[in-house]
């Protein structure tokens, strides 16, 4: 698949960004239309431990229990749309376990669409088990995880996946070091540049596989980098990783996530990509988001804000088990479906932007991570990326610089409170980023020497260098 970099914004202004509406809507599955005027709930789940030990047991878990429970609840409560997301457990990288699940979910969706009129589809998110020291590309020796990655894509698409997605790990060796040590240069080089190279490589092939099998190539996220940074930064009780560092890493990561769409994916991206608002502002493609209704999986500080321009609204993931209100997937589906219904009602009443702004202002100053993702600020980060969109390294650097600038201005205007340590970290990040070269070859040479001992599993061949 050919690569087309974004060098201009999809929207004329930040105010054009709103939930349920994307410049380039996507249709697939049985009646699902994303970004075409309504927000669709996307329910994510995990099987009970032990289900993966037997192909038939795993199929029953995903199809006869999880999928059927969700679809039954959609009919019972009168929700017209639902997207299921199956994030494959690691053992599903073999056809005997994964193919029956994919085919079974396709069949049950068709059944409920025909019998009850429920619009439904399944996103199959395949596992990326590659390891930098074993080789990220096929034929590099070590384990066959790169080969398995593309085999999984083929299996998913051949057996009826409506949407193909992934959480790729390119740049993770640098991200792990960077977050642990508060090193913004390592994050910029590893995630911003190397990660973008890897995502481009992977998604060109994913897009071809999906197209060949009449499947929609969805998108990706920097779960392995920016999310790790955010989770380690934590909330008000935590102080190991500063939230100003986390916020800037999220901006850098957005340039990486964008590369999937530039390489043939058409959306939506992954729900755990909090950077989705930035990517949507650039590309105009629909984005999935998670926030206050994903408390079953984790806590964040922008649970309302992140709903501001979503096209899919997700619970993140919940293990299948009984609860008082039904099974876990039924309960959490109800939670996200009612929230989506609120957004859609606001749209019908001409109040979408009012609700959008209420979401945004609720968490705008709760922390720097939400502040930089508020849609007006996210648009500015998007502009910084698009202005130098053809240069993978420079656009990631500009995204980080713009994010840091936004946070500092917020502090100086007394809108955004920061602790002394958060402010010191932010000023250090600004000084570091401003001092780095704009030249890709020079930063590559510098980082190869600088991190030779601290990131020993870095191999330029993993990234075609």
């Amino acid at each position: 698949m050919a690569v087309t970099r974004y060098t201009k914004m999809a929207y004329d202004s930040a105010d054009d960004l709103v939930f349920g509406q994307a410049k380039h809507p996507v249709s697939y599955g049985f009646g699902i239309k994303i970004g075409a005027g309504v927000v669709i709930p996307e329910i994510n789940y995990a099987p009970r431990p032990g289900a993966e030990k037997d192909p038939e047991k795993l199929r029953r878990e995903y199809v006869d229990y999880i999928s059927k429970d969700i679809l039954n609840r959609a009919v019972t409560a009168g929700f017209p749309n639902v997207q299921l997301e199956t994030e494959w457990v690691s053992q599903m990288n073999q056809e005997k376990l994964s193919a029956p699940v994919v085919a079974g979910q396709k069949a049950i969706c068709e059944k409920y669409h025909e019998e009850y009129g429920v619009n439904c589809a399944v996103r199959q998110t395949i596992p990326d088990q590659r390891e930098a020291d074993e080789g990220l590309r096929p034929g590099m020796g070590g384990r066959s995880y790169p080969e398995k990655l593309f085999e999984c894509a083929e299996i998913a698409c051949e057996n009826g996946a409506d949407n193909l997605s992934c959480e790729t790990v390119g740049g993770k060796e640098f991200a792990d070091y960077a977050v642990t040590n508060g090193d913004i240069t390592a994050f910029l080089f590893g995630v911003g540049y190397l990660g973008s190279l890897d995502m481009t490589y992977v998604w060109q092939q994913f897009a071809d596989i999906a197209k060949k099998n009449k499947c929609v190539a969805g998108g990706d996220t920097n779960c392995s980098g920016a999310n790790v940074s955010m989770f380690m930064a934590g909330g008000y009780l935590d102080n190991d990783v500063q939230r100003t560092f986390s916020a800037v890493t999220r901006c850098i990561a957005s340039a990486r996530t964008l590369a999937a769409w530039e390489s043939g994916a058409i959306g939506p991206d992954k729900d755990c990509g909090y950077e989705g608002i930035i990517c949507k502002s650039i590309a105009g493609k629909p984005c999935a988001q998670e926030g206050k209704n994903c408390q079953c999986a984790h806590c964040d500080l922008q649970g309302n804000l992140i709903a501001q321009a979503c096209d899919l609204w997700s619970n993140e993931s919940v293990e299948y088990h009984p609860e008082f209100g039904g099974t876990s997937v039924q309960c959490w589906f109800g939670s996200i479906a009612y929230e989506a219904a609120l957004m859609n009602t606001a749209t019908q009443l001409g109040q979408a932007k009012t609700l959008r702004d209420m979401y945004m202002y609720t968490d705008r100053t709760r922390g720097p991570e939400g502040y930089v993702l508020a849609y007006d600020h996210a648009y500015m980060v998007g502009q910084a990326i698009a202005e130098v969109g053809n240069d993978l390294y420079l656009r990631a650097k500009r995204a980080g610089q713009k994010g840091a600038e936004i946070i500092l201005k917020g502090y100086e205007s007394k809108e955004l409170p920061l602790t002394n340590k958060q402010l010191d970290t932010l000023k250090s990040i600004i000084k570091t980023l401003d001092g780095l070269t704009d030249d890709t070859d020079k930063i590559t040479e510098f980082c190869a020497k600088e991190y030779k001992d601290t990131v020993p599993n870095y191999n330029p061949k993993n990234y075609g260098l």
Side-chain angles (χ1 to χ4, degrees):
M1 185 69 70
V3 177
T4 303
R5 300 295 179 197
Y6 291 103
T7 56
K8 60 181 181 179
M9 303 295 284
Y11 297 91
D12 293 332
S13 72
D15 190 54
D16 293 333
L17 290 161
V18 68
F19 49 73
Q21 301 175 37
K23 280 274 188 177
H24 307 291
V26 180
S27 299
Y28 53 75
F30 301 99
I32 288 291
K33 297 179 180 179
I34 302 173
V38 298
V39 177
I40 293 175
E42 180 176 41
I43 179 73
N44 194 327
Y45 37 75
R48 289 166 290 187
E52 76 286 351
K53 294 180 179 180
D54 175 74
E56 177 54 24
K57 187 175 183 179
L58 188 66
R59 188 207 64 78
R60 285 199 306 269
E61 186 84 347
Y62 274 120
V63 180
D64 300 340
Y65 304 149
I66 293 174
S67 299
K68 187 175 181 180
D69 281 359
I70 295 166
L71 292 167
N72 276 338
R73 182 56 59 94
V75 174
T76 298
F79 295 122
N81 301 295
V82 55
Q83 175 157 304
L84 286 70
E85 181 184 8
T86 300
E87 290 185 343
W88 292 16
V89 294
S90 60
Q91 294 87 351
M92 287 175 67
N93 66 4
Q94 49 188 314
E95 187 170 12
K96 68 178 182 179
L97 283 175
S98 54
V101 170
V102 178
Q105 290 189 302
K106 182 77 171 185
I108 197 170
C109 280
E110 182 175 20
K111 172 182 170 65
Y112 273 75
H113 180 68
E114 291 180 351
E115 293 186 8
Y116 300 102
V118 177
N119 299 319
C120 48
V122 186
R123 184 205 297 260
Q124 300 290 345
T125 300
I126 62 173
D128 186 357
Q129 298 171 301
R130 294 176 300 158
E131 299 175 0
D133 53 352
E134 296 282 353
L136 297 184
R137 299 193 177 190
M140 291 185 66
R143 300 178 185 177
S144 61
Y145 286 151
E147 289 83 355
K148 283 288 186 181
L149 177 63
F150 297 109
E151 286 176 15
C152 286
E154 292 275 7
I155 293 168
C157 293
E158 288 174 356
N159 286 278
D162 296 308
N163 183 285
L164 174 68
S165 292
C166 192
E167 296 176 5
T168 53
V169 298
K172 188 177 187 301
E173 70 274 31
F174 273 90
D176 289 345
Y177 171 82
V179 174
T180 304
N181 293 276
D183 190 329
I184 200 65
T185 302
F187 197 94
L188 170 61
F189 179 66
V191 172
Y193 179 52
L194 298 181
S196 295
L197 289 175
D198 181 68
M199 188 171 286
T200 299
Y201 166 78
V202 169
W203 275 96
Q204 283 181 278
Q205 297 180 69
F206 277 3
D208 285 337
I209 293 169
K211 184 177 181 180
K212 178 180 64 177
N213 291 279
K214 298 181 180 180
C215 172
V216 168
D220 213 304
T221 174
N222 188 224
C223 188
S224 64
N227 276 12
V228 171
S229 181
M230 181 181 74
F231 296 149
M232 289 188 66
Y236 290 104
L237 288 175
D238 304 285
N239 203 36
D240 292 333
V241 173
Q242 296 306 305
R243 295 201 296 279
T244 44
F245 178 86
S246 169
V248 175
T249 62
R250 180 66 68 184
C251 295
I252 291 171
S254 62
R256 175 189 185 274
T257 296
L258 187 67
W261 283 351
E262 294 174 320
S263 304
I266 64 173
D269 61 354
K270 278 282 294 159
D271 56 297
C272 58
Y274 284 68
E275 65 274 11
I277 178 62
I278 299 173
C279 297
K280 180 178 179 178
S281 75
I282 300 170
K285 294 180 179 179
C287 70
Q289 299 278 238
E290 64 186 37
K292 63 179 178 181
N293 299 118
C294 72
Q295 300 299 300
C296 54
H298 61 77
C299 176
D300 62 54
L301 299 183
Q302 53 269 3
N304 277 299
L305 178 144
I306 208 67
Q308 60 193 340
C310 70
D311 300 293
L312 285 168
W313 186 240
S314 174
N315 68 307
E316 173 44 271
S317 186
V318 65
E319 182 185 283
Y320 184 66
H321 62 257
E323 293 187 4
F324 287 153
T327 59
S328 57
V329 294
Q330 291 178 317
C331 295
W332 286 94
F333 170 66
S335 176
I336 58 174
Y338 271 113
E339 194 69 33
L342 173 64
M343 298 184 216
N344 296 334
T345 300
T347 298
Q348 292 165 357
L349 296 177
Q351 298 297 317
K353 289 186 177 181
T354 300
L355 180 58
R356 175 199 65 185
D357 289 352
M358 292 174 69
Y359 279 140
M360 185 270 287
Y361 280 113
T362 299
D363 302 324
R364 182 181 178 89
T365 59
R366 197 179 300 276
E369 294 142 322
Y371 192 74
V372 82
L373 291 175
Y375 67 85
D376 55 331
H377 294 153
Y379 188 86
M380 294 166 65
V381 176
Q383 286 179 310
I385 292 172
E387 285 172 0
V388 288
N390 285 317
D391 189 319
L392 292 179
Y393 161 66
L394 187 57
R395 72 187 199 177
K397 180 186 175 186
R398 291 286 185 266
Q401 288 175 306
K402 178 56 69 172
E405 174 191 317
I406 289 167
I407 296 168
L408 183 59
K409 286 184 177 180
Y411 171 77
E412 292 175 342
S413 68
K414 301 189 185 310
E415 182 183 21
L416 177 68
L418 297 175
T419 66
N420 290 336
K421 194 166 185 179
Q422 288 170 348
L423 182 60
D424 289 344
T425 298
L426 180 65
K427 290 180 176 179
S428 176
I429 288 172
I430 292 172
K431 182 179 180 180
T432 298
L433 291 178
D434 288 349
L436 292 176
T437 179
D438 285 349
D439 187 278
T440 301
D441 291 336
K442 289 181 179 178
I443 195 68
T444 300
E445 181 180 355
F446 170 78
C447 289
K449 294 178 180 177
E450 180 72 13
Y451 301 104
K452 180 180 180 181
D453 296 325
T454 51
V455 188
N457 53 346
Y458 167 53
N459 182 353
K461 293 182 179 179
N462 280 331
Y463 305 97
L465 300 176

